Amino acid sequence: MFDQETTAYKLAQSFMRLSKAEWHQRMTTGKKRSEMMLLFCIKRQAHDGEPAMRVSEISSLLRVASPTVTQTLNGLENKGLIERVMDKQDRRAVRVKLTEAGIKLTEEGEQRFADHMNGLIAYLGEEDSGQLVELLKKVYEYYDMLNQEHEQHK
């Protein structure tokens, strides 16, 4: 594979260690990451003036297939975190919104996430944190570019 002294090897090892640290799991409130992402998506739209969303809108924003979103919504509805309501403009359509319990959970999740990020900033320091932000932004741009090239060659 790689010589252990190469930067490529060390970078790959760093990504694997970060993945194994399950840092994103520690920031949630005991819910699955996919559930929290979906709840945050709905909450964000509510802040933008739309208290309820269609499944297709959620699917598009999260870049996940509608059946996957529906399955996750079913679990969240069973837990009392979301509710489905009829669309007032189109009675055939169903919208999804957070319940009071869902709102409370997302607020707790946001606070926990902020605490973890602020803790990381305190640990790294402002300068290193700023460098990390810029480097991760470049990593994203690189992989986004590769994905776009891949899509063009399909």
Side-chain angles (χ1 to χ4, degrees), residues 16-82:
M16 285 190 280
R17 280 195 305 268
L18 185 60
S19 176
K20 287 179 183 176
E22 296 181 359
W23 63 273
H24 48 79
Q25 298 295 347
R26 297 192 195 328
M27 288 188 253
T28 62
T29 54
K31 301 292 179 223
K32 295 177 187 171
R33 183 173 178 256
S34 58
E35 292 176 332
M36 292 305 293
M37 294 293 288
L38 203 149
L39 292 170
F40 286 133
C41 179
I42 297 168
K43 186 171 194 253
R44 188 174 335 123
Q45 287 300 109
H47 280 280
D48 291 341
E50 184 56 57
M53 298 178 70
R54 291 182 178 180
V55 172
S56 60
E57 294 170 327
I58 297 169
S59 175
S60 177
L61 284 171
L62 295 178
R63 297 180 184 174
V64 178
S66 290
T68 304
V69 171
T70 299
Q71 185 177 13
T72 304
L73 287 173
N74 290 340
L76 292 171
E77 187 174 34
N78 291 337
K79 294 173 185 174
L81 299 172
I82 60 111

Side-chain angles (χ1 to χ4, degrees), residues 4 7 27 34 119 129 141:
Q4 292 185 6
T7 302
M27 288 188 253
S34 58
S129 295
E141 290 168 356

Side-chain angles (χ1 to χ4, degrees), residues 126-139:
E126 282 291 332
E127 187 176 331
D128 284 350
S129 295
Q131 279 186 307
L132 180 60
V133 168
E134 290 305 313
L135 289 171
L136 289 173
K137 191 167 109 179
K138 285 182 175 183
V139 169

